[in-house]
Amino acid sequence: MDRREFVRNTAVGLAGLTILPSGLLFAKNADKVRLGYIGVGLRGRNHIGEGLLRDDVEIVAICDIQESSLKYCREQFVKAKKKLPVEYTGGLDAYKKLLARKDIDGVIIATPWQFHKDQSIDAMRAGKYVGCEVIAGISEQDHWDILKVHEETKMPYMTLENVCYRRDVMAALNMARQNVFGELIHLEGGYQHDLRGILFNDGKSFNGKGGEFGPNTMGEAQWRTQWNIDRDGDIYPTHGAGPVMNYIDINRGNSFTNLVSFSSKSRGLNAYVNKVSPGNKNAKINFKNGDVTTTMINCANGETVTLSHDTHLPRPYSLGFRVQGTEGIWMDVNESVYIEGKSAKYDEWDKASVWFEKYDHPLWKKYEKYAEGAGHGGMDWFVFNGFVEAVKQKRQTPIDVYDSLTMSVITPLSEKSIAEGNAPQKFPDFTKGKWKERKNTFALDDSGF
């Protein structure tokens, strides 16, 4: 059975998730989800690609202000032999016309970060499920504003690009839930990815050529580079935070209490521009964001968490996960596991694969074939599937608004900590105390969520 057959023939249940009040969605056909896309740049088109593979998804409308992005998107539909969606373009408010449509159940938001809050709020008020890319908002208040509208409208909000579904991450989650690591004590994660070739280009190539950024370049160099000029903090915390939150039940019996952040000096981007484009004026820019940002977090149940943002220096990709408990440890950088009394040799690492094959999560065992070819090693299929099935079944999304806001708000909190001389910051409780009673329902079995 291929991915198309799966979505056509399989109705996936959501274990432990609350059914939403009837009438929130007007879609009359529960077997078909009608989506609108706000932002069809590179990331948006990845989500378009996932939607085009499914017979239970109809992409009825797209919105982007750049003709080049719309052109690439049209080519995707033509290649897939699918009906072209209605396009909305022109100005920054063009997306509001898309939201006014009565035939859209949910929206995928993949625009530059500064637009996410307003677009998400407008979408919830329009009665749409929201699947939004990183990050939710720029300020802490932005996050409270999103929560307020969610509570008013009861429309679900889900962070899309995340690493909670990565295969090794889920195997480690399975191990943690079976107490293989013992009581968890310390966890680490982050976004450790050389983005220099993405932050700069020559206006003709998406990656790896030239030292320019801004409106005359391509892809994320148009907007993401500016964040490193203007801001100093962990501007992409969700990849590390999401899995860590599941390991120690954050918002579900546990909570983050406070954090402190540190920022290194900034030299990497200057050195890169000078190397690829000698004499370029951009090599002299004072980039405010440090090359490595480190954030340390305390938890209500006594665990400690360290997150790292490291995107300006030469390095192989790694998210730096570490799960450490009273019985053992996993570290993804060296792909190793050590379990006291159970590893092959005392005080020597086992290959992580040995343990992960044994504790491979049921979700991956069941749906591996359907995730083949999806982005980020298959993760994108699980994320997109979780969102689509939640919309289809009128249920809560597997990563809810509380989780989404918690992992995203680390950005403004880290900025504030650094600006105040590494001062500790109280972590907001978006659940308003409900974390004490809430239960962790993420990926409890092989139901697809």
Side-chain angles (χ1 to χ4, degrees), residues 242-254:
V244 164
M245 289 168 59
N246 284 325
Y247 293 136
I248 53 176
D249 299 323
I250 296 299
N251 291 333
R252 293 172 169 82
N254 197 2

Side-chain angles (χ1 to χ4, degrees), residues 278-309:
N280 192 312
K281 65 183 185 305
N282 293 335
K284 298 181 180 180
I285 291 175
N286 180 23
F287 293 95
K288 190 175 181 180
N289 206 19
D291 290 338
V292 179
T293 302
T294 304
T295 297
M296 295 182 289
I297 306 175
N298 279 319
C299 302
N301 291 346
E303 304 90 347
T304 53
V305 173
T306 300
L307 301 176
S308 175
H309 181 267

Side-chain angles (χ1 to χ4, degrees), residues 166 186-192 239-240 244 306-308 315-323 330-334:
R166 200 171 85 173
H186 177 74
L187 302 99
E188 297 181 8
Y191 190 57
Q192 301 175 153
H239 275 28
V244 164
T306 300
L307 301 176
S308 175
R315 60 160 302 129
Y317 177 86
S318 166
L319 298 186
F321 286 115
R322 172 174 169 177
V323 178
W330 164 54
M331 297 183 70
D332 83 327
V333 174
N334 57 346

Side-chain angles (χ1 to χ4, degrees), residues 142-206:
D142 286 347
H143 293 72
W144 284 110
D145 291 345
I146 290 170
L147 180 63
K148 182 175 182 290
V149 175
H150 163 76
E151 292 176 338
E152 290 172 356
T153 65
K154 302 297 188 293
M155 293 310 304
Y157 175 106
M158 175 177 171
T159 290
L160 290 179
E161 185 175 357
N162 61 77
V163 190
C164 296
Y165 287 100
R166 200 171 85 173
R167 192 164 197 166
D168 58 346
V169 165
M170 296 198 75
L173 176 63
N174 198 21
M175 292 174 68
R177 285 175 169 170
Q178 295 190 44
N179 204 38
V180 177
F181 298 113
E183 182 179 355
L184 298 186
I185 306 297
H186 177 74
L187 302 99
E188 297 181 8
Y191 190 57
Q192 301 175 153
H193 186 187
D194 182 358
L195 293 182
R196 297 172 300 166
I198 291 174
L199 296 175
F200 299 93
N201 60 59
D202 58 4
K204 301 176 183 178
S205 307
F206 281 108

